[in-house]
Amino acid sequence: MDIGMVGLGRMGGNMATRLVRGGHRVVAYDRDPDTRDHANANGLETVDSLEHLAEHLVSPRVIWVMVPSGNPTEGTMSALIEVLQEGDTVIDGGNSHYKDSMRRGAEFQRLGLAMIDAGVSGGVWGLDDGYCLMVGGDDDVVASVEPCFRTLATSTESGYAHVGPLGAGHFVKMIHNGIEYGLMQAYAEGFDLMRAKGLFNLDIAQISDLWNHGSVVRSWLLELTANTLQGNPTLADIEPWVEDSGEGRWTVEESIELAVPIPVISIALQTRFRSRQSDSFGFKMLAAMRNQFGGHSLRRRG
């Protein structure tokens, strides 16, 4: 199967390479010429425009888009409408909001184009280990592209599921990332607590590896934690600033819309916000109030 890949960042480039290894022909485009040159030097067939991408693929075309969510995806989708023809299929493999995917899919359908939303998990390890693919779209459209999904997945039998109609793929991926927030926060808090217990002089790198052998909290996230701690046990060179990609926020917003409580994910998101406040007015207020009602001491600067 021929696939057009738009976006050759780390994830998109790895996915394109895995598809080629699986016997697919991939024609790739990235707006950055240096990225295209790098991909070309590593054996990928590249073109210098979306128009040329369409010209180099046999109809009906399949285009996989791997660009950041929001305006980059919006602009790419609009540009593809201008160069594709009836019967072509576009797969959005980025972290788009599921409602945006549903809106774009409806627009594509009016023009005779098909769309699939594919939530992708696996990160930089997916090239060799395969990806977890959460796919949304019409049954016949998804079936026509299934060989591509099977190639990218962890195996031909697992790692890929058609989870529902268009929008369902990105919805499931959104919830997946929300759960990830909670898991990461729990690990971070537990290791922080162990590190603070100076009485035992715990080797937290050793413990992170230990827990991955038979423990009920073992996971791939814990494996990555162990890798990090073995090379950098104090994390001294890392700033305590944690970004969020947006899907945690969307998950919390969805919980409000559906009136379904998700306190762990919500607190994990709020904690990421707090990590970016090196001079928190809120914490100052808490200290001042304790001083006012209980005469508790204040730590003052200077």
Side-chain angles (χ1 to χ4, degrees), residues 72-219:
T73 295
E74 200 73 54
T76 300
M77 294 296 187
S78 296
L80 283 172
I81 286 174
E82 301 299 321
V83 300
L84 297 182
Q85 299 175 349
E86 186 173 345
D88 292 344
T89 299
V90 176
I91 304 169
D92 180 3
N95 286 331
S96 294
H97 195 291
Y98 77 95
K99 291 181 180 178
D100 288 334
S101 298
M102 294 173 70
R103 170 180 54 79
R104 293 187 190 111
E107 181 181 1
F108 274 37
Q109 189 175 37
R110 287 195 296 271
L111 298 171
L113 301 170
M115 182 176 159
I116 294 172
D117 62 310
V120 182
S121 182
V124 298
W125 302 89
L127 173 60
D128 296 318
D129 297 343
Y131 300 90
C132 175
L133 300 167
M134 299 147 264
V135 175
D138 292 344
D139 291 348
D140 57 339
V141 178
V142 172
S144 70
V145 189
E146 191 167 274
C148 170
F149 297 138
R150 295 291 184 192
T151 299
L152 288 170
T154 50
S155 75
T156 55
E157 292 80 29
S158 61
Y160 149 69
H162 180 194
V163 297
L166 186 68
H170 282 153
F171 179 81
V172 172
K173 178 56 162 50
M174 178 184 77
I175 304 304
H176 164 283
N177 280 25
I179 292 170
E180 185 181 280
Y181 277 47
L183 290 172
M184 292 173 71
Q185 185 64 31
Y187 282 134
E189 290 177 7
F191 280 97
D192 196 16
L193 191 58
M194 286 191 291
R195 186 170 180 269
K197 191 63 175 178
L199 174 65
F200 296 132
N201 192 29
L202 297 173
D203 183 342
I204 59 175
Q206 177 196 51
I207 294 167
S208 64
D209 179 67
L210 169 68
W211 283 353
N212 264 317
H213 301 279
S215 164
V216 295
V217 298
R218 64 186 181 274
S219 71

Side-chain angles (χ1 to χ4, degrees), residues 184-264:
M184 292 173 71
Q185 185 64 31
Y187 282 134
E189 290 177 7
F191 280 97
D192 196 16
L193 191 58
M194 286 191 291
R195 186 170 180 269
K197 191 63 175 178
L199 174 65
F200 296 132
N201 192 29
L202 297 173
D203 183 342
I204 59 175
Q206 177 196 51
I207 294 167
S208 64
D209 179 67
L210 169 68
W211 283 353
N212 264 317
H213 301 279
S215 164
V216 295
V217 298
R218 64 186 181 274
S219 71
W220 185 49
L221 274 175
L222 191 56
E223 288 180 28
L224 299 178
T225 301
N227 291 342
T228 298
L229 291 174
Q230 286 166 7
N232 189 5
T234 66
L235 307 182
D237 59 335
I238 298 177
E239 288 289 335
W241 175 290
V242 187
E243 288 288 359
D244 68 286
S245 62
E247 292 194 276
R249 299 187 190 209
W250 300 341
T251 303
V252 172
E253 290 168 359
E254 193 71 23
S255 78
I256 296 170
E257 186 173 322
L258 297 176
V260 174
I262 53 169
V264 172

